[in-house]
Structures are given as C-alpha cells and as structure tokens.
Amino acid sequence: MTQKTFSERITGQCKCGGVRYEGTRADAPAFRCYCRDCQQLTGTGHSEMVPLVRDTFSVTGDMREFEMQGGSGGATWSGFCPDCGSPILRRSARMSDRLYVHAGSLDRPEEYRPEKVIYPDAAQPWDQPD
C-alpha cells in the first residue's frame, strides 16, 4: 500500500447531503478492512477507513448509529444516514480516542490511500487484497 499525507482537516457527507461531518486526521493509519462486519455494513467485500480524532469530530444532520459487538468482544458502532443509508463512520469502545470515517464519504476521496490492510483472511474470493 502506498502512503499519502492527508489534509489535517477532513470533511465529508452522505450521498443525499443530509449528514455532514468534519474532524482532524488522527495519527493512525488509514486502512482497508476485510472483516465480515465491514462486508455486511457496506454491502461490499471490504471497507476503506480514515481515522479522525474523536474530540474534534462534529456532525450536522441526523446521523444514526447501530451498536454491535466487535471482534474483540467490545461494543462498536456504525454511523449512517437514515435517509439515504450511506455509511459514514465506525467507532469502538476499545479505541475511544478516535473514530473512522468511510473513505467514500470524504469530500476529497482522491486523497485517500490505505496504509495497511486488516483481516485479509476474511476476504471473499471475489475481493482479494492486493
């Protein structure tokens, strides 16, 4: 995976524009995740995630969150737009200082480059890691 420096301030929105967000890029790698949760939450073979500092994150609009149990056994949440269904973020109790926004929701998705891959063994045969 090729590394690239993001803008420090990250902004984005859902497909319909009803949910907008902004926050500061966290000092953690952006990643591609092949876990089964990400497959089901995105409707694809993986998710592309950008870390933001939780204390700097703000949302305008009515973002909803779905709570579930993560692979570590702790609580995780998936944020989405209740109108268009676009996935916006993932966060967990285990890493409470940050959250991860879906790269497809970024205002500048062309800046995204995954810096690591996680759960490659869970990848579907039709969506294999590089």
Side-chain angles (χ1 to χ4, degrees):
M1 298 283 147
T2 304
Q3 290 190 343
K4 177 168 173 139
T5 304
F6 282 87
S7 302
E8 184 172 314
R9 198 74 180 151
I10 303 292
T11 60
Q13 70 177 25
C14 66
K15 176 65 177 165
C16 72
V19 176
R20 285 208 46 83
Y21 65 83
E22 65 177 83
T24 302
R25 174 82 157 81
D27 186 20
F31 62 85
R32 177 172 294 155
C33 180
Y34 287 92
C35 80
R36 187 66 181 136
D37 285 345
C38 283
Q39 292 171 18
Q40 291 176 316
L41 291 167
T42 64
T44 65
H46 65 275
S47 65
E48 304 283 348
M49 307 302 289
V50 179
L52 301 182
V53 177
R54 185 160 181 197
D55 290 344
T56 68
F57 186 75
S58 64
V59 174
T60 56
D62 182 28
M63 184 183 74
R64 302 277 174 85
E65 288 188 302
F66 172 68
E67 183 177 348
M68 67 201 104
Q69 184 178 23
S72 67
T76 66
W77 294 267
S78 177
F80 61 96
C81 174
D83 292 326
C84 68
S86 296
I88 302 293
L89 66 82
R90 294 285 311 271
R91 63 184 182 88
S92 72
R94 189 169 62 98
M95 289 184 269
S96 61
D97 63 328
R98 68 185 83 148
L99 54 82
Y100 295 87
V101 293
H102 289 272
S105 70
L106 297 170
D107 285 340
R108 296 183 50 95
E110 68 276 8
E111 290 186 2
Y112 175 76
R113 296 290 183 277
E115 298 162 336
K116 73 178 191 175
V117 171
I118 61 175
Y119 300 111
D121 292 343
Q124 296 300 319
W126 43 266
D127 189 28
Q128 290 293 301
D130 296 24

